Amino acid sequence: MEIRTPDPLAHPDVFADRHLGPNASEEREMLEALGYDSLDALSDTAVPASIRFREPLALPPARSEQQLLRDSRRLADANRPFRSYIGMGYSGTFTPPVIQRNVLENPGWYTQYTPYQAEIAQGRLEALLTFQTVVSDLTGLPIANASLLDEATAAAEAMTLFHHAAKGDRRTFFADARCHPQTLAVLEQRAEPQGLRVVVADWESYEPTDDLLGALVQYPTTDGEVADYRVFAGAVHAAGAYVAAATDLLALTVIEAPASWGADVALGNSQRFGVPMGYGGPHAAFFAVRDEFKRLVPGRIIGVSKDSHGAPALRMALQTREQHIRREKATSNICTAQVLLANMAGFYAVYHGPDGLRAIAARVNRAAQMLAAGAARLGHTVRHTDYFDTLRITPGEGFSGPDLVARAASEFEMNLRLYPDGDVGIALDETTGGDDVDDLLRVLAGAGAAVGFSAAELAAEAPAGYAGRAPRTEPFLEHPVFNSYHAEHEMLRYLKRLENRDLSLAQSMIALGSCTMKLNATAEMMPITFPGFDLHPFAPREQARGYADMVGELEAWLAEITGFAAVSLQPNSGAMGEYTGLLVIRAYHRANGGEHRDVCLIPSSAHGTNPASAVMAGMHVVVVKANDAGEVDLDDLRARAEQYSDRLAALMITYPSTHGVFEESIREIADVVHQHGGLVYMDGANMNAQVGLARPGDFGMDVCHLNLHKTFAIPHGGGGPGMGPIAVAPRLAPFLPGHPVVEGVGGEEATGPVAAAPFGSASILLISWAYIAMLGPDGLRRASQTAILNANYMARRLSEHYDVLFSGPGGLVAHEFIIDLRPFQRAGVSAEDVAKRLIDYGYHAPTMSFPVAGTLMIEPTESESKAELDRFCEALIAIREEIRQVELGLLDRDDNPLRNAPHTAATVTADDWEHPYSREQAAWPAPWTRDAKFWPSVGRVDNAYGDRNLVCACPPIEAYAE
């Protein structure tokens, strides 16, 4: 790891001063209010001395924004973005500039949280409903979710869904050999801990067995064939099993929908709908099912409901499936989705409409037909006669597949796919033009040979559209939203209308405990759209030297920050990081004779995905009690560790605790587990209180995951993207996950991959790299200290009005704290009432009823100014006064501003106003709401109605005709 010397002419505009909210005088005021004279004195009290890290982090000095952008461009220039025709689920695409500028690069779209407060997320929810409609229409299946992480893990989710749906104890899953290799590898890794068996074979010769729970086929196959699966699907169904199709949305505009030939689930990657390849991500996977599976669908479904005034309103449907509720009984550990990317893909379909999508697909297919005809003229054999965009070519006599691939790379700067048998794969896409086809023909002609004909000549002979055995005849995307915004001006206004219905960090603080909604600095975000970073994830490593340098630095920096030996950047969500960490622990035990170790101890206060991840990793969950202070009950931990000593595999613990305190007994907790042969997994969701102050590897942890979309500034994107890399102790490093396509990934005894791409959502790693580079070691420590300062300042102000439930050393909290709203239930005021009333003040509610029902967990982060902290406190103090008025009978118990919140503009400007409180109190309860009022677009959403009447796609065109 390079340690640079400080620049004697460093720019005076220091990034840390821009990132940290309080200025020097505000910091002094806040410290004085808490009784401390410095940040060091405060953090020395808050962070237990037994774990305090007092050395400066061995990281390069902070870079200015200007230097960071120059360095980013150097990294981009070090990459060599060849024309990639590798395919395998990743395609070149054009991101419409109106979408790139106004969605991908717009904090009004990328800084929101998951839409748990539906009233202030209607724009994003509508965009996700549109995405679900695209998926449902094109696959022919009625229920689609609001995206998953990537195609390979979506296939694994289908396998798990079939396992839960299957009758009897069925444990065999079939996957056709012509599925993408990364998908097969992820399936096998996911199946083994759950006691499932994956059979990889040729679908045409496979005979279903009584033990079969389901089957996966690729449509079109990884080598391009549009196969007819009707007979196969019938045989699988006759055996009592189900069929999943991994498919391609653009292909589905011209070939038969999977539902028409018997698929029960359709899944895939929506990347080619306007989302850059980004060396592997982030991209939104899609997942659609038959109606009978709607309560087993992983992730989230956006549904149509109604608000308190009877108007249509959107929300996340079937929320009882959310993992923080179901815990170890969850059918999936999915937490983060890929919302921002799903929005982009849905908008791509809106912008182009059905006719535009058909035209793009026809053009891509025509290019493939032209190339196929040219390859045949040059003496090669095209293996399949029915294809969409991908050709598998057997080189003719005198030609070598490896030579053709090498020539393509060296002379024409293009990447082709080489099969083990010497065949060559070429996958064309939206970016392919006539000149590209001419270059491909030159490659196929062989060194020094003339082609003798051109793409233009071949075009005259090629059919105008797809001419395979099963062309699509069903209409799709008939809803007006897909037929109204093809002019850029109309599209711009449409995007802005939706944006205006969402509350983001561009409007106000989002104080979500455990979620760390901090500044996503512009300089951190800019590099992700530099053209040099848009690489195919399976491009040769020598073409990705810029990525390699960035990845190497980020891994080394995260290892230093955590005190661990090695890092894997592959997990592409926090929950996937949990799962990966447990897989590595499991592999370690098995390599050391501990196959029988299968018990995972989990405190009762843990994040809900923890037990779900443990079950996925093949472990038996045993709950450890929390004491009255919200900490792990050491006596119960010792008892459980003793009880399961021979079987103990791991303890999962969140640190600082989910209750927002540094537990002083953390070393003792680790010692207990280690004494009984187990390892300690630390959930890094609360790492924002530790960076530069404490290192998990130094105080007994064996592995931790890091939420880069929390601590390290990747934006939440309205529910994704996320990244959840893991850092591990030396003994676990050999077991870090590998990859079946890209060599040199993972440890010497690598577990199977947990994601489709070798470095997960690689392009957004640039954001965390930039965050660390610009803060430097001192800035990172100050960020953690300021997060602790802000939380304690707010807790002290609010403690005069609300009970603060838990505190640690010196009566201090960590970076978040919990206020108790349960006493107000006597007055008929619930935590939900307070959450919705905050919307009228212009704020998103803190985390509600987790980890304690009837509470709010508040986390201000380090990037909020004192003025914003004070405004938020004043909002909660004013709400407390409103509650007091209800308690005293001055406000009606059933008709008051809290029970009726949030108040829409339509409500307060209506002719009729029958409430006993004023319109002013309803809509302008604080001075700042008159300066800049954020209006919710709907009233309080009726959650139960939406679940009883599930609608998860745009209404059909007939509804508009009526």
Side-chain angles (χ1 to χ4, degrees):
M1 177 172 56
E2 178 186 5
I3 304 295
R4 303 183 181 191
T5 57
D7 181 356
L9 295 177
H11 200 284
D13 195 357
V14 178
F15 175 75
D17 294 339
R18 301 294 191 184
H19 176 78
L20 301 177
N23 60 33
S25 62
E26 290 173 336
E27 182 183 293
R28 285 194 296 273
E29 288 178 43
M30 296 161 70
L31 285 168
E32 184 177 340
L34 294 170
Y36 293 90
D37 59 9
S38 69
L39 284 176
D40 285 338
L42 174 67
S43 56
D44 281 347
T45 304
V47 182
S50 62
I51 68 168
R52 184 75 160 84
F53 179 70
R54 298 188 180 279
E55 300 297 321
L57 290 167
L59 299 174
R63 306 179 203 183
S64 68
E65 291 184 328
Q66 297 82 359
Q67 183 63 53
L68 184 282
L69 292 173
R70 284 197 298 270
D71 290 345
S72 299
R73 291 193 184 279
R74 278 195 283 268
L75 289 177
D77 291 343
N79 292 325
R80 299 180 66 195
F82 285 14
R83 291 173 285 178
S84 280
Y85 304 112
I86 298 170
M88 299 171 72
Y90 304 94
S91 302
T93 186
F94 292 127
T95 304
V98 67
I99 296 175
Q100 177 171 322
R101 174 64 59 88
N102 296 289
V103 180
L104 179 59
E105 297 175 348
N106 179 0
W109 278 100
Y110 66 63
T111 64
Q112 304 97 323
Y113 183 59
T114 299
Y116 286 118
Q117 298 296 336
E119 296 82 1
I120 50 177
Q122 289 295 297
R124 166 178 22 139
L125 288 165
E126 183 174 328
L128 290 173
L129 189 75
T130 299
F131 173 79
Q132 290 177 179
T133 304
V134 172
V135 173
S136 183
D137 271 17
L138 291 177
T139 62
L141 292 163
I143 306 291
N145 72 9
S147 81
L148 294 178
L149 298 175
D150 60 32
E151 180 171 335
T153 55
E157 295 291 343
M159 175 178 67
T160 302
L161 183 153
F162 291 163
H163 182 220
H164 287 281
K167 295 178 176 61
D169 187 24
R170 295 171 177 251
R171 295 197 167 269
T172 297
F173 186 77
F174 170 82
D176 182 58
R178 285 193 288 157
C179 293
H180 296 318
Q182 69 272 20
T183 299
L184 296 175
V186 169
L187 278 173
E188 289 171 344
Q189 173 58 75
R190 185 74 69 88
E192 189 271 332
Q194 297 180 58
L196 304 180
R197 182 174 71 104
V198 176
V199 173
V200 179
D202 184 343
W203 69 271
E204 293 182 281
S205 59
Y206 178 73
E207 295 184 7
T209 62
D210 293 340
D211 190 39
L212 185 68
L213 60 91
L216 175 72
V217 292
Q218 195 88 40
Y219 178 69
T221 61
T222 191
D223 60 357
E225 184 181 19
V226 180
D228 184 352
Y229 294 117
R230 279 178 178 78
V231 173
F232 175 74
V236 171
H237 290 151
Y242 306 104
V243 178
T247 188
D248 177 328
L249 292 180
L250 190 63
L252 294 182
T253 65
V254 294
I255 67 175
E256 271 191 315
S260 67
W261 50 255
D264 303 290
V265 170
L267 58 97
N269 185 359
S270 66
Q271 175 266 317
R272 72 186 309 170
F273 271 31
V275 180
M277 289 184 288
Y279 204 45
H283 310 137
F286 60 87
F287 196 93
V289 301
R290 297 196 184 282
D291 185 76
E292 66 192 90
F293 294 136
K294 64 189 175 188
R295 293 190 178 273
L296 293 175
V297 173
R300 304 172 181 133
I301 297 173
I302 307 308
V304 181
S305 186
K306 63 179 182 178
D307 74 357
S308 53
H309 312 294
L314 306 177
R315 58 179 283 276
M316 293 198 298
L318 304 177
Q319 291 191 55
T320 53
R321 295 179 302 100
E322 289 293 327
Q323 307 314 323
H324 65 267
I325 297 171
R326 300 198 66 180
R327 299 176 68 81
E328 66 268 25
K329 296 180 181 178
T331 57
S332 167
N333 75 336
I334 291 292
C335 182
T336 304
Q338 300 282 26
V339 170
L340 180 64
L341 300 313
N343 287 343
M344 289 179 64
F347 291 148
Y348 179 93
V350 168
Y351 193 44
H352 289 294
D355 292 340
L357 293 176
R358 286 190 197 97
I360 292 169
R363 178 176 173 272
V364 171
N365 180 246
R366 194 176 192 207
Q369 293 180 54
M370 290 159 56
L371 185 60
R377 284 197 193 184
L378 293 169
H380 306 295
T381 301
V382 178
R383 288 275 288 264
H384 308 301
T385 58
D386 198 340
Y387 49 82
F388 169 60
D389 64 353
T390 300
L391 306 178
R392 180 169 182 167
I393 297 171
T394 301
E397 190 172 339
F399 291 88
S400 157
D403 288 343
L404 292 177
V405 170
R407 182 173 185 234
S410 63
E411 294 185 36
F412 295 92
E413 293 196 340
M414 59 175 62
N415 296 317
L416 310 181
R417 182 178 178 183
L418 181 65
Y419 291 91
D421 63 1
D423 281 5
V424 174
I426 304 176
L428 306 181
D429 56 50
E430 181 186 8
T431 68
T432 305
D435 291 346
D436 299 309
V437 175
D438 279 329
D439 285 347
L440 286 164
L441 292 172
R442 293 186 185 103
V443 170
L444 294 175
V451 175
F453 52 88
S454 69
E457 294 173 50
L458 295 171
E461 304 170 9
Y466 173 71
R469 69 168 71 91
R472 184 178 188 114
T473 58
E474 312 98 321
F476 58 90
L477 304 188
E478 294 184 290
H479 188 277
V481 74
F482 303 108
N483 296 279
S484 303
Y485 305 112
H486 307 322
E488 182 173 331
H489 211 168
E490 286 300 315
M491 185 68 182
L492 176 64
R493 289 168 176 162
Y494 166 69
L495 293 175
K496 192 64 181 176
R497 282 198 299 273
L498 295 186
E499 179 191 341
N500 288 344
R501 297 175 192 166
D502 268 30
L503 185 78
S504 72
L505 283 171
Q507 276 94 14
S508 59
M509 179 168 95
I510 302 179
L512 285 150
S514 188
C515 295
T516 318
M517 299 288 294
K518 64 173 66 178
L519 169 71
N520 312 121
T522 306
E524 295 161 1
M525 297 300 299
M526 287 174 66
I528 67 171
T529 52
F530 289 177
F533 290 118
D534 190 21
L535 272 61
H536 193 290
F538 304 151
R541 296 290 288 272
E542 61 269 17
Q543 295 172 22
R545 295 195 187 281
Y547 267 116
D549 290 347
M550 182 272 292
V551 163
E553 284 192 323
L554 183 57
E555 287 179 345
W557 295 349
L558 294 176
E560 169 64 14
I561 287 167
T562 58
F564 283 118
V567 170
S568 170
L569 298 173
Q570 192 174 114
N572 49 9
S573 80
M576 196 57 64
E578 297 170 7
Y579 169 67
T580 308
L582 294 177
L583 286 182
V584 168
I585 288 174
R586 185 172 184 270
Y588 167 82
H589 284 311
R590 292 192 158 212
N592 290 276
E595 293 87 349
H596 56 285
R597 292 192 174 272
D598 64 348
V599 166
C600 185
L601 302 179
I602 301 181
S604 59
S605 63
H607 290 119
T609 52
N610 284 182
S613 296
V615 171
M616 281 175 53
M619 295 185 182
H620 174 68
V621 173
V622 173
V623 176
V624 177
K625 296 176 184 175
N627 60 25
D628 292 340
E631 300 179 355
V632 172
D633 185 320
L634 269 171
D635 290 336
D636 192 55
L637 173 67
R638 291 190 185 95
R640 300 286 81 74
E642 180 68 37
Q643 179 182 358
Y644 296 100
S645 183
D646 291 342
R647 294 174 55 194
L648 183 58
L651 166 75
M652 297 184 82
I653 188 167
T654 301
Y655 198 77
S657 78
T658 309
H659 292 120
V661 297
F662 285 98
E663 297 186 42
E664 295 194 81
S665 60
I666 185 64
R667 283 186 177 273
E668 190 174 356
I669 289 169
D671 288 342
V672 170
V673 176
H674 290 150
Q675 288 164 10
H676 292 275
L679 300 181
V680 183
Y681 164 89
M682 192 193 88
D683 185 318
N686 293 342
M687 194 70 192
N688 210 48
Q690 287 191 67
V691 177
L693 300 177
R695 305 196 307 172
D698 294 343
F699 55 79
M701 306 298 101
D702 296 291
V703 55
C704 77
H705 91 265
L706 301 168
N707 291 98
L708 299 189
H709 53 291
K710 297 184 182 183
T711 305
F712 296 96
I714 291 176
H716 284 245
M723 279 292 278
I726 62 169
V728 299
R731 57 181 166 177
L732 296 179
F735 307 101
L736 291 175
H739 196 272
V741 179
V742 178
E743 296 181 354
V745 176
E748 296 174 1
E749 301 177 63
T751 61
V754 296
F759 304 106
S761 298
S763 66
I764 58 172
L765 295 174
L766 286 157
I767 301 167
S768 297
W769 172 83
Y771 171 83
I772 297 171
M774 288 192 291
L775 280 177
D778 294 337
L780 288 167
R781 185 186 68 256
R782 278 181 59 201
S784 298
Q785 291 176 317
T786 305
I788 293 171
L789 170 67
N790 286 357
N792 280 281
Y793 172 75
M794 292 183 72
R796 183 66 57 88
R797 278 207 68 182
L798 292 174
S799 65
E800 299 175 16
H801 308 274
Y802 297 89
D803 292 334
V804 176
L805 279 186
F806 305 106
S807 61
L812 296 174
V813 298
H815 63 310
E816 62 189 7
F817 61 98
I818 297 171
I819 60 172
D820 194 358
L821 305 180
R822 291 171 296 182
F824 311 135
Q825 291 173 0
R826 292 189 297 271
V829 176
S830 68
E832 183 177 21
D833 293 331
V834 175
K836 301 309 180 188
R837 183 59 172 153
L838 272 168
I839 295 173
D840 290 329
Y841 285 80
Y843 284 107
H844 193 295
T847 301
M848 187 176 72
S849 293
F850 176 83
V852 180
T855 66
L856 293 179
M857 182 162 62
I858 300 170
E859 180 182 358
T861 82
E862 73 274 14
S863 60
E864 297 297 346
S865 68
K866 179 177 181 294
E868 185 71 357
L869 304 181
D870 283 333
R871 268 193 296 273
F872 188 82
C873 287
E874 287 158 14
L876 279 173
I877 292 167
I879 288 172
R880 176 65 185 95
E881 183 55 34
E882 292 177 339
I883 296 171
R884 197 180 322 279
Q885 291 178 21
V886 175
E887 292 171 328
L888 296 174
L890 301 176
L891 282 172
D892 186 273
R893 182 183 177 96
D894 298 315
D895 189 0
N896 60 64
L898 294 119
R899 292 291 292 272
N900 295 328
H903 297 83
T904 65
T907 301
V908 298
T909 58
D911 291 339
D912 297 325
W913 181 262
E914 300 176 352
H915 303 296
Y917 54 96
S918 70
R919 299 173 194 255
E920 182 176 24
Q921 184 177 2
W924 294 280
W928 63 83
T929 59
R930 290 192 173 276
D931 295 333
K933 174 68 178 176
F934 181 87
W935 289 100
S937 55
V938 297
R940 193 175 303 193
V941 177
D942 186 334
N943 292 326
Y945 178 87
D947 281 351
R948 290 195 306 268
N949 304 275
L950 182 63
V951 176
C952 62
C954 298
I957 192 67
E958 291 79 14
Y960 289 81
E962 293 169 5

